[in-house]
Amino acid sequence: MPEIIIPTEFLPVDGRFGCGPSRVRPEQIAAFATEGAKLMGTSHRQAPVKNLVKRVQDGLMDFFHNPDGYEIVLGNGGSTAFWDVASHSLADGKAQALVHGEFGAKFAAALQAPWLTAPTVIKGEPGSRLELEAEAGVSLYAYAQNETSTGVSTPVKRVASADSGALFLTDATSAAGGIDFDPLETDVYYFAPQKNFASDGGLWLALMSPAAVARTEAVAQTSRYIPEFLSLKTAIDNSRLSQTLNTPAIATLFLLAEQVDWMNAQGGLAWAHSRTAQTSKHLYDWAEASQYATPFVTNPDHRSQVVVTIDFAAEVDAAAIAKVLRSNGIVDVEPYRKLGRNQLRVATFTATELSDVEKLTSAIDFTVAQLAK
Ligand SMILES: *Cc1c(COP(=O)(O)O)cnc(C)c1O
């Protein structure tokens, strides 16, 4: 097969559409080269790096609408580590987990720990979702605000008539920074910086309610063995001093701080929300109008505005499209590997310009026409 060259008029300025790591804005990198570089190689126990952590914490509190009494806690290991942090330090008794894809399933698996009662798992089909349900005896509810493997989103909402004191844990890894929500509707809103926050991986961050902090304290006082690295109490104590238990990646923190400040300056979370709504709408509208593409998520209420999954007709090979795009500098639109569909998956995170998404759909149309020749 001869190589397909996509004309420059169809090429986005930035060809990165992956779901994490995701595009980093050039302005963040430029700021890193000057201001960020001064912090590299200096101690995370001294004021300059602690001030950077504080800048991230304060910026995120503003961005998340400053809910009364909530705090920003952080630690190393990314969202994957936070699942184990939660099962060791927050879960107690029985949990209920909503699952309709890989990420929800991973948290549900972490809640199968031997010191907990087996959780209720509400399992829906990938590409759609079910709802959490009030269940007597459940003290923790878990769900992903955006299931990144399928492009399905779930509203951030407590379950009416859940037991009093039940905590709500929102895996917001790919939603945070791109979808607006009411923080009072959840207790732990956790995420990592390599998605809408346009930074690098390796950290977890959590917006925690007073009830979640109180639960952490209560669990820490039981006889349960909690490894130090998975102790949320240790993370809270350190975060209150704008530190982490062990050495964080300073570059990750710096790029994150730049993105949070930028988003706040643009109009905050409401602004980010309207931006991702617009970029994702372009893709959904394009797919619905297309002869060969269709949104994988059929129910518009379930469709994510930050991760768009598009199925292709059998005669069009999505993997071949992704290969051509990649050789032309448009990368990471391959579907989630385990989903196994004839699909492309596109992140429309907050750093992504509408004009770039418009170029992407014309590049796909051009490629499909060339492949059919
Ligand atoms: C990316 C992602 C994760 C994993 O994040 P890591 O920081 O790589 O551990 C977890 N949950 C969701 C919903 C994600 O999108």
Side-chain angles (χ1 to χ4, degrees), residues 133-138 141 158-164 166 168:
E133 290 162 13
E135 180 182 347
V138 162
Y141 289 86
R158 294 180 189 275
V159 173
S161 54
D163 283 4
S164 87
F168 287 80

Short mmCIF file of all heavy atoms in Angstrom, two decimals, residues 133-138 141 158-164 166 168:
data_model
loop_
_atom_site.label_atom_id
_atom_site.label_comp_id
_atom_site.label_asym_id
_atom_site.label_seq_id
_atom_site.Cartn_x
_atom_site.Cartn_y
_atom_site.Cartn_z
N GLU A 133 -27.50 2.41 43.13
CA GLU A 133 -28.81 2.25 43.77
C GLU A 133 -28.67 2.31 45.28
O GLU A 133 -27.71 1.75 45.82
CB GLU A 133 -29.40 0.87 43.42
CG GLU A 133 -29.81 0.73 41.97
CD GLU A 133 -29.96 -0.72 41.55
OE1 GLU A 133 -29.98 -1.61 42.44
OE2 GLU A 133 -30.04 -0.96 40.33
N ALA A 134 -29.62 2.95 45.94
CA ALA A 134 -29.59 2.98 47.40
C ALA A 134 -29.61 1.54 47.92
O ALA A 134 -30.42 0.73 47.47
CB ALA A 134 -30.79 3.75 47.94
N GLU A 135 -28.67 1.23 48.83
CA GLU A 135 -28.60 -0.14 49.36
C GLU A 135 -28.25 -0.06 50.84
O GLU A 135 -27.22 0.52 51.21
CB GLU A 135 -27.51 -0.91 48.59
CG GLU A 135 -27.35 -2.35 49.05
CD GLU A 135 -26.22 -3.09 48.30
OE1 GLU A 135 -25.74 -2.60 47.26
OE2 GLU A 135 -25.83 -4.15 48.80
N ALA A 136 -29.09 -0.63 51.68
CA ALA A 136 -28.84 -0.60 53.12
C ALA A 136 -27.54 -1.33 53.42
O ALA A 136 -27.27 -2.37 52.82
CB ALA A 136 -30.01 -1.24 53.86
N GLY A 137 -26.73 -0.77 54.32
CA GLY A 137 -25.49 -1.42 54.71
C GLY A 137 -24.29 -1.03 53.86
O GLY A 137 -23.17 -1.45 54.16
N VAL A 138 -24.51 -0.26 52.82
CA VAL A 138 -23.37 0.17 51.98
C VAL A 138 -22.83 1.50 52.51
O VAL A 138 -23.58 2.46 52.69
CB VAL A 138 -23.80 0.30 50.49
CG1 VAL A 138 -22.81 1.15 49.70
CG2 VAL A 138 -23.92 -1.09 49.87
N TYR A 141 -19.87 4.36 47.97
CA TYR A 141 -20.32 4.18 46.58
C TYR A 141 -19.21 4.66 45.66
O TYR A 141 -18.62 5.72 45.89
CB TYR A 141 -21.59 5.00 46.32
CG TYR A 141 -22.82 4.46 47.02
CD1 TYR A 141 -23.11 4.81 48.34
CD2 TYR A 141 -23.69 3.60 46.37
CE1 TYR A 141 -24.24 4.32 49.00
CE2 TYR A 141 -24.83 3.09 47.02
CZ TYR A 141 -25.09 3.46 48.33
OH TYR A 141 -26.20 2.96 48.97
N ARG A 158 -25.16 12.33 44.52
CA ARG A 158 -25.34 11.35 45.58
C ARG A 158 -26.60 10.55 45.31
O ARG A 158 -27.49 11.00 44.59
CB ARG A 158 -25.48 12.07 46.93
CG ARG A 158 -24.21 12.78 47.35
CD ARG A 158 -24.37 13.49 48.69
NE ARG A 158 -23.21 14.33 48.96
CZ ARG A 158 -22.08 13.91 49.51
NH1 ARG A 158 -21.97 12.66 49.90
NH2 ARG A 158 -21.07 14.73 49.71
N VAL A 159 -26.66 9.36 45.91
CA VAL A 159 -27.84 8.52 45.74
C VAL A 159 -28.84 8.89 46.84
O VAL A 159 -28.49 8.82 48.03
CB VAL A 159 -27.45 7.03 45.85
CG1 VAL A 159 -28.69 6.14 45.85
CG2 VAL A 159 -26.49 6.65 44.74
N ALA A 160 -30.02 9.29 46.44
CA ALA A 160 -31.04 9.63 47.44
C ALA A 160 -31.33 8.38 48.27
O ALA A 160 -31.32 7.27 47.74
CB ALA A 160 -32.31 10.12 46.75
N SER A 161 -31.53 8.57 49.55
CA SER A 161 -31.79 7.51 50.54
C SER A 161 -30.70 6.45 50.67
O SER A 161 -30.98 5.32 51.08
CB SER A 161 -33.19 6.89 50.39
OG SER A 161 -33.44 6.43 49.10
N ALA A 162 -29.46 6.83 50.37
CA ALA A 162 -28.32 6.00 50.80
C ALA A 162 -28.22 6.11 52.32
O ALA A 162 -28.71 7.08 52.90
CB ALA A 162 -27.04 6.52 50.14
N ASP A 163 -27.60 5.13 52.96
CA ASP A 163 -27.41 5.20 54.42
C ASP A 163 -26.71 6.51 54.79
O ASP A 163 -25.81 6.96 54.07
CB ASP A 163 -26.50 4.05 54.90
CG ASP A 163 -27.24 2.72 54.96
OD1 ASP A 163 -28.43 2.67 54.56
OD2 ASP A 163 -26.61 1.73 55.40
N SER A 164 -27.10 7.09 55.93
CA SER A 164 -26.44 8.34 56.30
C SER A 164 -24.98 8.04 56.62
O SER A 164 -24.66 7.00 57.19
CB SER A 164 -27.16 9.02 57.46
OG SER A 164 -26.68 8.54 58.67
N ALA A 166 -22.77 7.41 54.33
CA ALA A 166 -22.15 6.71 53.19
C ALA A 166 -21.34 7.72 52.38
O ALA A 166 -21.79 8.85 52.17
CB ALA A 166 -23.21 6.06 52.32
N PHE A 168 -19.31 9.00 48.91
CA PHE A 168 -19.32 8.87 47.45
C PHE A 168 -17.93 9.14 46.91
O PHE A 168 -17.34 10.18 47.23
CB PHE A 168 -20.38 9.80 46.86
CG PHE A 168 -21.76 9.27 47.11
CD1 PHE A 168 -22.37 9.47 48.35
CD2 PHE A 168 -22.40 8.49 46.18
CE1 PHE A 168 -23.60 8.90 48.64
CE2 PHE A 168 -23.63 7.92 46.45
CZ PHE A 168 -24.24 8.13 47.68
#
